[in-house]
Amino acid sequence: MADRVAGPEIERLIQLLARLPGLGPRSARRAALHLMRKREDLLGPLADAMALARERIVTCSACGNIDTIDPCTICCDVRRDATTLVVVETVADLWALERAAVVRGRYHVLGGVLSPLDGVGPDDLNLAGLVDRVSGAGLSEIILAVNATVDGQTTAHYVTDLLAHLDLKVTRLAHGVPVGGELDYLDEGTLAAAMRSRTAF
Ligand code: ZN
């Protein structure tokens, strides 16, 4: 093992940074050095922001989003379309859809997908909460915005069956050619899905 180049406090900072998604040991060392060089401008404010976030963050008891208020900012927003509920796997997916700003409804975060291989069953997801929310809530459409993976689609079918007794329109995202994509580069599964999901021009 290589000799340590810094004291345990700095080593600890590097180790923790290395656990962030997208950062390995090398980029964690660079980030730690950068933070220490910018101690006043960056390290201090970042430490304060993290301490405050640790104190204040809560999971929304209605939708599963992460925020500093419960119900969350989205659930409290009265300008949103109360008749549309978008079901997503994770908070990251919710935030991605919000960035795209295409639906102004409310969300429901499942907290994962059904995955028999990984031992994730219906009880591990926020499905009971979904059924409670959907029953008699004046909704007209449930949009299943889950990933186009085998597990995502299994989950979409399960949710559709779960809500089948309610008179609701259940839709899912289209599968197919990405915007800016070229047919020649797509795999056969994507091309076949695009062909099946074709729409009138
Ligand atoms: Zn919420």
Side-chain angles (χ1 to χ4, degrees), residues 30 60 179:
R30 288 172 63 184
C60 175
V179 175

Side-chain angles (χ1 to χ4, degrees), residues 60 63 72 75:
C60 175
C63 75
C72 72
C75 285

Side-chain angles (χ1 to χ4, degrees), residues 130-146:
L130 177 64
V131 176
D132 283 350
R133 267 186 100 181
V134 164
S135 312
L139 288 165
S140 61
E141 182 176 0
I142 311 279
I143 303 172
L144 301 177
V146 291

Side-chain angles (χ1 to χ4, degrees), residues 131-171:
V131 176
D132 283 350
R133 267 186 100 181
V134 164
S135 312
L139 288 165
S140 61
E141 182 176 0
I142 311 279
I143 303 172
L144 301 177
V146 291
N147 291 331
T149 55
V150 172
D151 289 344
Q153 295 313 299
T154 305
T155 309
H157 284 293
Y158 187 89
V159 172
T160 307
D161 289 346
L162 201 64
L163 305 178
H165 63 288
L166 301 161
D167 187 23
L168 279 169
K169 182 174 154 194
V170 180
T171 57

Side-chain angles (χ1 to χ4, degrees), residues 59-67 69-76 94 106-107 133:
T59 298
C60 175
S61 54
C63 75
N65 188 18
I66 291 175
D67 205 338
I69 51 170
D70 181 19
C72 72
T73 307
I74 293 175
C75 285
C76 290
L94 185 165
R106 296 212 171 89
Y107 293 89
R133 267 186 100 181

